Amino acid sequence: MKQYTERFRTSYDTAAEAYARDVFHELDHKPFDRSVLDQLAADVQGHVADIGCGPGHVARYLYERGVDVTGIDLSPQMIEVARRLTPEVEFQQGNMLDLASFPSGAFAGIVALYSLIHIERPDIPTALSELHRLLAPGGLLLLSFHKGTHTVHADNLWNVPVDLDFFFFEPEEMEAFLQQAGFLLDARLERAPYPGVEAETHRVYLRAHKPAA
């Protein structure tokens, strides 16, 4: 896992500026995503973590809706870009498999949109257990991923050389991982891709919570 994490970090460090140019305003063209984020913003009571925040576009969207949010990403260069684009929001570098710098129960909500897609299957339980630890009792989790069972490798994105694997998951598989980590599932939503806006993959959104007791 360490070797994969290093090449993942290096790839996003290299692609940070190009990635931000391509995706920072993508929510303008994704009404479904805005609706699920709006619902989370209305429901959450307290500090929210945007895990795998990239250039900070989701964190910025939540901040503009009154959410106290911190963005966290593995790539230091991506964090620098996020800080520059949205200086009002706190951004920190961190590995979602081990966020020991944050105490247990630190967040009332966690958003992880297309973050688990870079976690190899054997490490998904570790990642979700860490998210469960970070949530306060009753805390909300919103995550999304590409639907399927295959892996897509990319060696060039946004005209930048990268070395990235994208792991696809079936909804039932991820739901089982969530239950194993101690979450209770609240909702499953799915949608087709927005043509010309994003990769042509079917998308899944799961909302869950950490039991209050």
Side-chain angles (χ1 to χ4, degrees), residues 31-54:
F32 183 94
D33 298 60
R34 296 198 304 271
S35 70
V36 295
L37 289 170
D38 288 345
Q39 188 63 59
L40 181 80
D43 293 342
V44 75
Q45 301 291 326
H47 196 186
V48 171
D50 177 13
I51 306 288
C53 66

Side-chain angles (χ1 to χ4, degrees), residues 8-203:
F8 171 41
R9 179 190 293 114
T10 299
S11 292
Y12 276 109
D13 279 347
T14 303
E17 295 288 350
Y19 182 89
R21 286 193 298 270
D22 187 68
V23 310
F24 192 71
H25 296 289
E26 70 172 1
L27 287 174
D28 294 347
H29 311 289
K30 296 185 175 184
F32 183 94
D33 298 60
R34 296 198 304 271
S35 70
V36 295
L37 289 170
D38 288 345
Q39 188 63 59
L40 181 80
D43 293 342
V44 75
Q45 301 291 326
H47 196 186
V48 171
D50 177 13
I51 306 288
C53 66
H57 54 303
V58 171
R60 182 188 181 99
Y61 185 87
L62 292 171
Y63 170 78
E64 289 174 344
R65 278 141 191 85
V67 177
D68 176 19
V69 59
T70 294
I72 301 168
D73 199 273
L74 180 66
S75 163
Q77 188 57 41
M78 200 72 81
I79 290 298
E80 289 303 311
V81 171
R83 288 170 175 164
R84 186 181 74 238
L85 293 173
T86 311
E88 303 89 349
V89 170
E90 178 188 19
F91 293 97
Q92 295 190 33
Q93 191 272 337
N95 183 343
M96 70 185 298
L97 293 170
D98 182 7
L99 292 168
S101 59
F102 295 95
S104 298
F107 299 105
I110 291 176
V111 175
L113 300 188
Y114 306 103
S115 304
L116 293 169
I117 62 173
H118 292 304
I119 304 295
E120 296 174 291
R121 272 179 172 76
D123 295 306
I124 291 291
T126 299
L128 291 178
S129 292
E130 184 68 347
L131 299 189
H132 187 273
R133 181 189 69 80
L134 291 175
L135 275 177
L140 304 177
L141 172 67
L142 173 66
L143 60 84
S144 62
F145 51 91
H146 305 284
K147 184 177 182 179
T149 59
H150 56 295
T151 301
V152 173
H153 180 77
D155 55 21
N156 188 291
L157 289 174
W158 315 289
N159 295 316
V160 174
V162 297
D163 184 8
L164 291 170
D165 294 317
F166 295 81
F167 302 105
F168 288 54
F169 299 90
E170 288 294 338
E172 295 82 4
E173 178 185 20
M174 190 60 74
E175 289 171 5
F177 281 132
L178 284 169
Q179 292 167 357
Q180 178 184 344
F183 287 99
L184 296 178
L185 184 69
D186 297 321
R188 179 207 296 181
L189 302 169
E190 300 185 32
R191 70 166 174 84
Y194 289 111
V197 175
E198 59 190 4
E200 297 287 323
T201 64
H202 196 88
R203 313 296 175 109

